[in-house]
Amino acid sequence: MAQLQRITIASSQLQQEQIILTSEQQHYLCRVLRLREGDRFIAMDGMGKWWLAQLTGAQAKILEMLCVETELPVAITLIVALPKGNAFDEVVRNCTELGVANIAPVVSDRTLLHPSSQKLERWRRIAKESAEQSERAIVPAILEPVTFSCAVASTTATHRYICEARGNYPHLKTAIDGVPTKSQIAIAIGPEGGWTETEIENALHARFQPVSLGKRILRAVTAPIVALSLITAVYEV
Amino acid sequence: MAQLQRITIASSQLQQEQIILTSEQQHYLCRVLRLREGDRFIAMDGMGKWWLAQLTGAQAKILEMLCVETELPVAITLIVALPKGNAFDEVVRNCTELGVANIAPVVSDRTLLHPSSQKLERWRRIAKESAEQSERAIVPAILEPVTFSCAVASTTATHRYICEARGNYPHLKTAIDGVPTKSQIAIAIGPEGGWTETEIENALHARFQPVSLGKRILRAVTAPIVALSLITAVYEV
């Protein structure tokens, strides 16, 4: 089952036991993946549901609903300062693989990049592709970029952490130990050069707890992967 | 102290209380970093020692030896199937940041890349730069690429694990729990598409224990970061 190809569909494409395929999806299934009439694939709605489907012309017949258990039992929102160049593409790809629920790109005092709207579209497409490839049930939401102070002020997560490379803070793994399943966790990860003092003060004011990711200095693109790996290990072992 | 620039020197450059700088290092310190006579920087030998040094012409005076505690208490050898294109550059960069001791690139049955000798030089340069940036005491060794069967047969690590995405194996974190500090740990991570059955059999024969990195399917370039994050969390918390 896991070896079948996966595509994401919109809920509106579902009609009773059929999926009405878009011409783009037909092209992808028939020309790119070379599926033929009667071949099976997996359709996912990106919001938790998977179906085993069978290709029948411009439609696909739903054979059965599948049970997927690849989601983490906590909802993690990653608040990440936008890195230079295209590095955020990799952050989206990696964090989707690792089970993030929401990614909130933020413009920090030390952020060089002010993203265009095409970027947001691009990140959402990467999240969708990465969710399909890593066999997730859910496609993470990529939020509109806002300033860091706006992101921390508007977070609704019950458990809030800000990663800070320098300073003798408790390890993230220690901090989240005991956080119950079904919690909403927000983790803020800074840019190259770290957060400014004002940003850390803002975060503390919004009840973010400062934490460490270990003894070495991590690059801004590596830190999110490390943070998510630590959390998955706590909840999946 | 942590804000000072760091350069890696060869042991042969040390003469009593002086470091004889190469012309390349002089250029880097004076032209790139714009250090001036009397400015201080950190010299590291890549084998565990750091010195606080002061620029004096074509030499640098050693002011004191520094104590660095950024190394993991276990020595991890990562055996990684070479990915497509230049993706191994990122593996070297990330794993160096995360505290790896040795990286053994291997040619597996599903490896597409057969590396040139320039590649090895390039990976060693990346490891050096990444060790400087992440403030490590040690520059990880990048071993000569060999076949996977050769790498597993010649490993001397006391604790051996092979990561396998599909199959109900114990989590790496559970498997290494209780492995004492100062141990030698080898972890094998496969290519896109995973290891072949023969490769897994070879590894089991060489006393590698199959482990999982979690419920989602990770890309070959993400899996090493996840594995190292899990291990650092066990030993640094």
Side-chain angles (χ1 to χ4, degrees):
Chain A
M1 191 72 72
Q3 308 305 330
L4 291 178
Q5 298 290 346
R6 286 165 297 280
I7 67 164
T8 311
I9 61 164
S11 318
S12 58
Q13 293 181 253
L14 274 179
Q15 303 207 349
Q16 289 157 353
E17 297 302 296
Q18 300 285 334
I19 300 164
I20 315 297
L21 298 168
T22 65
S23 56
E24 196 186 4
Q25 287 165 342
Q26 286 175 50
H27 175 85
Y28 180 68
L29 290 169
C30 301
R31 303 284 160 172
V32 182
L33 302 180
R34 301 197 174 273
L35 261 57
R36 288 183 299 187
E37 190 76 9
D39 280 351
R40 299 185 309 166
F41 65 93
I42 291 168
M44 47 189 280
D45 71 353
M47 293 179 291
K49 296 207 183 93
W50 277 32
W51 297 276
L52 180 62
Q54 187 174 35
L55 193 62
T56 54
Q59 305 188 353
K61 186 181 167 193
I62 290 178
L63 300 177
E64 61 177 304
M65 187 174 242
L66 300 173
C67 179
V68 271
E69 291 178 339
T70 51
E71 291 302 317
L72 287 173
V74 286
I76 304 169
T77 298
L78 210 59
I79 300 170
V80 196
L82 284 163
K84 280 182 291 192
N86 287 327
F88 202 68
D89 291 6
E90 273 307 294
V91 171
V92 172
R93 199 172 278 123
N94 289 324
C95 294
T96 301
E97 272 179 276
L98 288 168
V100 77
N102 304 291
I103 300 178
V106 294
V107 177
S108 80
D109 294 350
R110 292 194 177 125
T111 297
L112 300 169
L113 181 77
H114 290 264
S116 62
S117 60
Q118 290 97 319
K119 285 273 185 188
L120 188 61
E121 274 315 299
R122 179 178 164 77
W123 297 329
R124 286 178 175 157
R125 197 171 62 243
I126 291 172
K128 190 166 77 70
E129 289 166 1
S130 180
E132 292 167 2
Q133 283 163 14
S134 57
E135 303 183 12
R136 289 196 54 184
I138 290 172
V139 177
I142 314 292
L143 311 183
E144 290 277 348
V146 291
T147 63
F148 179 65
S149 55
C150 177
V152 296
S154 64
T155 184
T156 55
T158 47
H159 297 80
R160 305 167 188 195
Y161 307 98
I162 181 165
C163 299
E164 181 46 29
R166 308 201 185 268
N168 195 16
Y169 297 116
H171 198 284
L172 172 63
K173 183 164 159 268
T174 316
I176 59 161
D177 204 28
V179 170
T181 57
K182 303 198 176 163
S183 295
Q184 307 276 331
I185 299 176
I187 300 179
I189 293 180
E192 303 291 333
W195 301 110
T196 62
E197 274 184 39
T198 315
E199 287 171 331
I200 292 179
E201 276 167 29
N202 278 345
L204 298 185
H205 188 70
R207 296 187 293 107
F208 277 69
Q209 181 184 338
V211 291
S212 151
L213 293 176
K215 293 186 179 180
R216 286 156 303 283
I217 301 300
L218 302 174
R219 284 178 305 147
V221 290
T222 315
I225 313 181
V226 174
L228 285 170
S229 303
L230 296 175
I231 297 179
T232 59
V234 167
Y235 290 97
E236 289 195 337
V237 175
Chain B
M1 192 70 75
Q3 308 305 332
L4 291 178
Q5 298 289 346
R6 286 165 296 281
I7 65 164
T8 310
I9 60 163
S11 318
S12 57
Q13 293 182 253
L14 275 178
Q15 302 206 351
Q16 290 156 355
E17 297 302 296
Q18 300 286 334
I19 299 165
I20 315 298
L21 298 168
T22 64
S23 55
E24 195 185 4
Q25 287 164 343
Q26 286 175 51
H27 174 84
Y28 180 69
L29 290 169
C30 302
R31 302 284 162 171
V32 182
L33 301 180
R34 299 195 174 275
L35 262 57
R36 289 183 299 187
E37 191 76 9
D39 280 351
R40 298 184 311 166
F41 65 94
I42 290 167
M44 46 189 281
D45 71 352
M47 291 180 294
K49 296 207 184 93
W50 278 33
W51 297 275
L52 180 63
Q54 187 174 36
L55 194 62
T56 55
Q59 303 188 356
K61 187 181 168 194
I62 290 177
L63 301 177
E64 62 177 301
M65 187 175 245
L66 300 174
C67 179
V68 269
E69 291 179 339
T70 51
E71 292 301 319
L72 287 173
V74 285
I76 303 170
T77 298
L78 210 59
I79 301 171
V80 197
L82 284 163
K84 282 182 288 191
N86 287 327
F88 203 68
D89 290 7
E90 273 308 293
V91 171
V92 172
R93 198 170 280 124
N94 289 323
C95 294
T96 301
E97 271 180 276
L98 288 169
V100 77
N102 304 290
I103 299 178
V106 294
V107 176
S108 79
D109 295 349
R110 292 193 178 128
T111 298
L112 300 168
L113 180 78
H114 290 262
S116 62
S117 60
Q118 289 97 318
K119 284 274 184 187
L120 188 61
E121 274 315 299
R122 178 177 167 78
W123 298 329
R124 286 178 175 156
R125 196 170 63 243
I126 290 172
K128 189 166 77 69
E129 288 166 2
S130 179
E132 291 168 3
Q133 283 162 14
S134 57
E135 303 183 12
R136 290 197 51 185
I138 290 172
V139 176
I142 314 292
L143 311 182
E144 291 275 347
V146 292
T147 62
F148 179 65
S149 54
C150 177
V152 296
S154 63
T155 184
T156 55
T158 46
H159 297 80
R160 305 170 187 191
Y161 307 97
I162 181 165
C163 299
E164 181 48 27
R166 310 204 184 265
N168 196 14
Y169 298 117
H171 198 284
L172 172 64
K173 181 164 159 269
T174 316
I176 60 162
D177 203 31
V179 170
T181 56
K182 303 200 175 162
S183 295
Q184 307 275 332
I185 298 177
I187 301 181
I189 292 180
E192 303 292 333
W195 301 109
T196 62
E197 275 184 37
T198 316
E199 286 170 334
I200 292 180
E201 276 167 28
N202 278 344
L204 298 185
H205 188 70
R207 295 186 291 108
F208 276 70
Q209 181 185 339
V211 291
S212 151
L213 293 176
K215 292 188 179 178
R216 286 156 304 282
I217 301 299
L218 302 174
R219 285 179 305 147
V221 291
T222 314
I225 312 180
V226 174
L228 285 169
S229 302
L230 296 175
I231 298 178
T232 58
V234 168
Y235 291 97
E236 288 195 339
V237 176

